[in-house]
Amino acid sequence: MFKACPLSQLVPGEALRLDTSPPIAVFHTEEGELFAIDDTCTHQDASLADGWVEGCEVECPLHASRFDLRTGAVDAPPAKLPVRTHGVSVVDGDIMITESGEVPNLPPGLTIDGHR
Ligand code: FES
C-alpha cells in the first residue's frame, strides 16, 4: 500500500495519473467515489486519466472504448482487454493505493517499465 495524494487535492470530477510502473489512474467521481485502475489503455498508449468519466466508466481519449472503473472491464473495441483495478482507501486524509498483483494488459509495444 502506498500514498497517492491527500484526498483534499483530488476534488470530485478529477483524475490523477500516478508515476508508477505501469502508471495508475486515480479517479474521484462526481458522486464522491474513489477508484484506481491502470492508466494506460489496453489498445494503445493513451492515458485514461485524460479520459472522460461518466458514472462509473471512463472513456479512452483516443478511440472511445469505455472501461468500468469498478471492474476494469471494457465495453467495446478497439480495446479488447480489461485494465487492472487497484484497491483504494483513505487513511488519515490520504488516498492510499493497494496495487493489484495481477499482470497488467499493456498495449502492444509497451513493457512493464514503460519502455518500448
Ligand atoms: S487507445 Fe484507447 S481505445 Fe484506442
Short mmCIF file of all heavy atoms in Angstrom, two decimals, residues 4-6 9-10 14-19 24-28 35 37 39 47 49-50 95:
data_model
loop_
_atom_site.label_atom_id
_atom_site.label_comp_id
_atom_site.label_asym_id
_atom_site.label_seq_id
_atom_site.Cartn_x
_atom_site.Cartn_y
_atom_site.Cartn_z
N ALA A 4 -1.13 7.96 -2.55
CA ALA A 4 -1.29 8.63 -3.85
C ALA A 4 -1.18 10.14 -3.66
O ALA A 4 -0.33 10.80 -4.26
CB ALA A 4 -2.62 8.25 -4.48
N CYS A 5 -2.06 10.68 -2.81
CA CYS A 5 -2.05 12.11 -2.52
C CYS A 5 -3.05 12.36 -1.41
O CYS A 5 -3.88 11.49 -1.12
CB CYS A 5 -2.39 12.94 -3.76
SG CYS A 5 -4.11 12.83 -4.26
N PRO A 6 -3.04 13.56 -0.82
CA PRO A 6 -4.10 13.88 0.14
C PRO A 6 -5.45 13.92 -0.57
O PRO A 6 -5.53 14.39 -1.71
CB PRO A 6 -3.71 15.28 0.65
CG PRO A 6 -2.25 15.41 0.35
CD PRO A 6 -2.03 14.62 -0.90
N GLN A 9 -6.62 17.05 -2.30
CA GLN A 9 -6.01 17.50 -3.56
C GLN A 9 -6.67 16.89 -4.79
O GLN A 9 -6.31 17.23 -5.92
CB GLN A 9 -4.52 17.17 -3.58
CG GLN A 9 -3.70 18.10 -2.71
CD GLN A 9 -2.21 17.82 -2.80
OE1 GLN A 9 -1.75 17.07 -3.66
NE2 GLN A 9 -1.46 18.40 -1.89
N LEU A 10 -7.60 15.96 -4.59
CA LEU A 10 -8.26 15.33 -5.73
C LEU A 10 -9.77 15.57 -5.56
O LEU A 10 -10.46 14.79 -4.91
CB LEU A 10 -7.94 13.84 -5.78
CG LEU A 10 -8.41 13.09 -7.03
CD1 LEU A 10 -7.70 13.61 -8.28
CD2 LEU A 10 -8.16 11.60 -6.89
N GLU A 14 -12.27 14.92 -10.77
CA GLU A 14 -10.89 14.97 -11.23
C GLU A 14 -10.25 13.58 -11.22
O GLU A 14 -10.72 12.67 -10.54
CB GLU A 14 -10.06 15.88 -10.32
CG GLU A 14 -10.47 17.34 -10.35
CD GLU A 14 -10.06 18.05 -11.63
OE1 GLU A 14 -8.90 17.86 -12.05
OE2 GLU A 14 -10.89 18.76 -12.21
N ALA A 15 -9.18 13.45 -11.99
CA ALA A 15 -8.40 12.21 -12.01
C ALA A 15 -6.93 12.57 -11.88
O ALA A 15 -6.51 13.67 -12.23
CB ALA A 15 -8.64 11.45 -13.31
N LEU A 16 -6.17 11.61 -11.37
CA LEU A 16 -4.75 11.83 -11.13
C LEU A 16 -3.97 10.65 -11.72
O LEU A 16 -4.35 9.50 -11.53
CB LEU A 16 -4.50 11.90 -9.62
CG LEU A 16 -3.08 12.00 -9.12
CD1 LEU A 16 -2.52 13.38 -9.45
CD2 LEU A 16 -3.05 11.78 -7.61
N ARG A 17 -2.91 10.96 -12.47
CA ARG A 17 -2.06 9.90 -13.02
C ARG A 17 -0.84 9.75 -12.11
O ARG A 17 -0.10 10.72 -11.91
CB ARG A 17 -1.61 10.28 -14.43
CG ARG A 17 -0.71 9.28 -15.10
CD ARG A 17 -0.31 9.82 -16.47
NE ARG A 17 0.40 8.85 -17.27
CZ ARG A 17 1.72 8.67 -17.24
NH1 ARG A 17 2.46 9.38 -16.43
NH2 ARG A 17 2.28 7.76 -18.02
N LEU A 18 -0.67 8.56 -11.57
CA LEU A 18 0.48 8.31 -10.69
C LEU A 18 1.63 7.77 -11.51
O LEU A 18 1.44 6.93 -12.40
CB LEU A 18 0.11 7.29 -9.61
CG LEU A 18 -1.07 7.64 -8.71
CD1 LEU A 18 -1.32 6.52 -7.72
CD2 LEU A 18 -0.82 8.96 -7.99
N ASP A 19 2.82 8.22 -11.19
CA ASP A 19 4.00 7.85 -11.96
C ASP A 19 4.57 6.52 -11.48
O ASP A 19 5.75 6.39 -11.18
CB ASP A 19 5.04 8.97 -11.84
CG ASP A 19 6.08 8.87 -12.94
OD1 ASP A 19 5.82 8.16 -13.94
OD2 ASP A 19 7.16 9.49 -12.79
N ILE A 24 -0.73 4.37 -12.74
CA ILE A 24 -2.06 4.10 -12.21
C ILE A 24 -2.85 5.41 -12.25
O ILE A 24 -2.31 6.48 -11.96
CB ILE A 24 -1.96 3.56 -10.77
CG1 ILE A 24 -1.38 2.14 -10.78
CG2 ILE A 24 -3.32 3.59 -10.06
CD1 ILE A 24 -1.10 1.57 -9.40
N ALA A 25 -4.12 5.32 -12.64
CA ALA A 25 -5.01 6.49 -12.63
C ALA A 25 -5.96 6.37 -11.45
O ALA A 25 -6.58 5.33 -11.24
CB ALA A 25 -5.79 6.56 -13.94
N VAL A 26 -6.06 7.46 -10.68
CA VAL A 26 -6.99 7.51 -9.55
C VAL A 26 -8.10 8.49 -9.91
O VAL A 26 -7.82 9.61 -10.34
CB VAL A 26 -6.28 7.98 -8.26
CG1 VAL A 26 -7.23 7.90 -7.08
CG2 VAL A 26 -5.03 7.16 -8.00
N PHE A 27 -9.33 8.04 -9.77
CA PHE A 27 -10.48 8.86 -10.12
C PHE A 27 -11.29 9.17 -8.86
O PHE A 27 -11.53 8.29 -8.04
CB PHE A 27 -11.40 8.11 -11.10
CG PHE A 27 -10.75 7.83 -12.43
CD1 PHE A 27 -9.99 6.67 -12.62
CD2 PHE A 27 -10.89 8.71 -13.48
CE1 PHE A 27 -9.39 6.41 -13.84
CE2 PHE A 27 -10.29 8.46 -14.71
CZ PHE A 27 -9.54 7.31 -14.88
N HIS A 28 -11.71 10.43 -8.75
CA HIS A 28 -12.67 10.83 -7.71
C HIS A 28 -13.90 11.27 -8.48
O HIS A 28 -13.90 12.32 -9.13
CB HIS A 28 -12.08 11.98 -6.88
CG HIS A 28 -12.84 12.25 -5.62
ND1 HIS A 28 -12.45 13.19 -4.70
CD2 HIS A 28 -13.97 11.70 -5.12
CE1 HIS A 28 -13.31 13.22 -3.69
NE2 HIS A 28 -14.25 12.32 -3.93
N PHE A 35 -11.74 5.49 -7.26
CA PHE A 35 -11.36 4.27 -7.98
C PHE A 35 -9.93 4.39 -8.46
O PHE A 35 -9.46 5.50 -8.74
CB PHE A 35 -12.25 4.06 -9.22
CG PHE A 35 -13.71 3.88 -8.90
CD1 PHE A 35 -14.60 4.93 -9.03
CD2 PHE A 35 -14.19 2.65 -8.48
CE1 PHE A 35 -15.94 4.77 -8.73
CE2 PHE A 35 -15.53 2.47 -8.18
CZ PHE A 35 -16.41 3.54 -8.31
N ILE A 37 -7.39 2.46 -11.39
CA ILE A 37 -7.20 1.46 -12.44
C ILE A 37 -5.86 1.73 -13.12
O ILE A 37 -5.28 2.80 -12.94
CB ILE A 37 -8.33 1.50 -13.50
CG1 ILE A 37 -8.35 2.85 -14.22
CG2 ILE A 37 -9.68 1.20 -12.86
CD1 ILE A 37 -9.34 2.90 -15.39
N ASP A 39 -3.54 3.16 -15.76
CA ASP A 39 -3.78 4.40 -16.51
C ASP A 39 -3.70 4.19 -18.01
O ASP A 39 -4.34 4.91 -18.77
CB ASP A 39 -2.74 5.45 -16.09
CG ASP A 39 -2.94 6.75 -16.83
OD1 ASP A 39 -4.03 7.34 -16.69
OD2 ASP A 39 -2.03 7.17 -17.56
N SER A 47 -3.53 7.78 -22.01
CA SER A 47 -3.72 7.91 -20.57
C SER A 47 -5.20 8.03 -20.24
O SER A 47 -5.86 9.00 -20.62
CB SER A 47 -2.96 9.15 -20.06
OG SER A 47 -3.29 9.40 -18.71
N ALA A 49 -6.43 8.70 -17.45
CA ALA A 49 -6.67 9.85 -16.56
C ALA A 49 -7.07 11.08 -17.37
O ALA A 49 -7.68 12.00 -16.84
CB ALA A 49 -5.43 10.14 -15.72
N ASP A 50 -6.75 11.07 -18.67
CA ASP A 50 -7.15 12.18 -19.55
C ASP A 50 -8.50 11.92 -20.21
O ASP A 50 -8.94 12.70 -21.05
CB ASP A 50 -6.10 12.37 -20.67
CG ASP A 50 -4.79 12.91 -20.13
OD1 ASP A 50 -4.80 13.54 -19.06
OD2 ASP A 50 -3.75 12.69 -20.78
N ILE A 95 -5.19 9.45 0.26
CA ILE A 95 -5.65 8.36 -0.61
C ILE A 95 -4.53 7.33 -0.68
O ILE A 95 -3.40 7.66 -1.08
CB ILE A 95 -6.00 8.88 -2.02
CG1 ILE A 95 -7.11 9.91 -1.94
CG2 ILE A 95 -6.39 7.72 -2.93
CD1 ILE A 95 -7.43 10.57 -3.28
#
